[in-house]
Amino acid sequence: MSSSDSAYGDIHRYEPPRESMTAAVAIVLLTVVEIALVGVFTYGLISGWGVASNDGGFGNMFLGTAMAAMFVNLAFILLLYRKEFLPDVMIVKKRRRKWEDLYIREDDVDGESLTDGAGETFKRAIYPYMKR
């Protein structure tokens, strides 16, 4: 389908989501793990695991690892949700031409040839005080 067949803003392709049961179960299990990690992290903050004490900073590293695991787990949840439960939609958008990005008028797209303005340049070289 060429760009002239559809108007801007029209839906060009729409594929419904798969909505697999396996992905739903995986998202539920990952959410349970996420809640557990958030609980461990919150308990560690309240208990003061991150405060420098006799453990040599182990509690702080443990809290950092728990937080990293939380974000990685959340990334997998969002990845599964996006892949399995959101539709694949392509919308037709206007593609700008290169000369529009350079703020050039449409009649100046091709530039100037070698002889454009040669007569005016020659006149200025002969009589430099000539008005434009």
Side-chain angles (χ1 to χ4, degrees):
M1 182 182 288
S2 67
S3 62
S4 63
D5 292 350
S6 20
Y8 298 123
D10 289 347
I11 293 178
H12 185 63
R13 181 183 70 217
Y14 181 87
E15 294 177 14
R18 291 183 237 171
E19 298 181 4
S20 71
M21 189 63 173
T22 308
V25 171
I27 287 176
V28 168
L29 291 177
L30 286 171
T31 304
V32 170
V33 172
E34 182 77 17
I35 292 170
L37 287 170
V38 169
V40 168
F41 182 76
T42 305
Y43 180 76
L45 280 179
I46 292 171
S47 300
W49 291 352
V51 178
S53 60
N54 297 336
D55 64 358
F58 174 74
N60 204 7
M61 289 189 306
F62 182 75
L63 285 177
T65 304
M67 184 180 256
M70 283 170 23
F71 284 117
V72 169
N73 192 10
L74 183 63
F76 277 112
I77 291 171
L78 293 174
L79 179 114
L80 271 174
Y81 177 74
R82 200 182 99 199
K83 182 155 179 68
E84 299 292 333
F85 294 100
L86 288 180
D88 184 20
V89 179
M90 178 188 288
I91 297 175
V92 179
K93 293 186 177 179
K94 180 178 180 183
R95 182 175 164 193
R96 293 177 54 150
R97 294 178 293 269
K98 290 182 181 180
W99 58 267
E100 286 179 330
D101 292 334
L102 300 173
Y103 304 105
I104 296 174
R105 293 189 312 259
E106 191 167 359
D107 53 336
D108 291 338
V109 172
D110 298 324
E112 294 182 359
S113 67
L114 187 61
T115 58
D116 283 349
E120 189 70 26
T121 306
F122 183 71
K123 288 179 191 175
R124 286 204 181 278
I126 293 176
Y127 186 63
Y129 301 109
M130 185 180 88
K131 294 183 181 179
R132 289 186 184 204

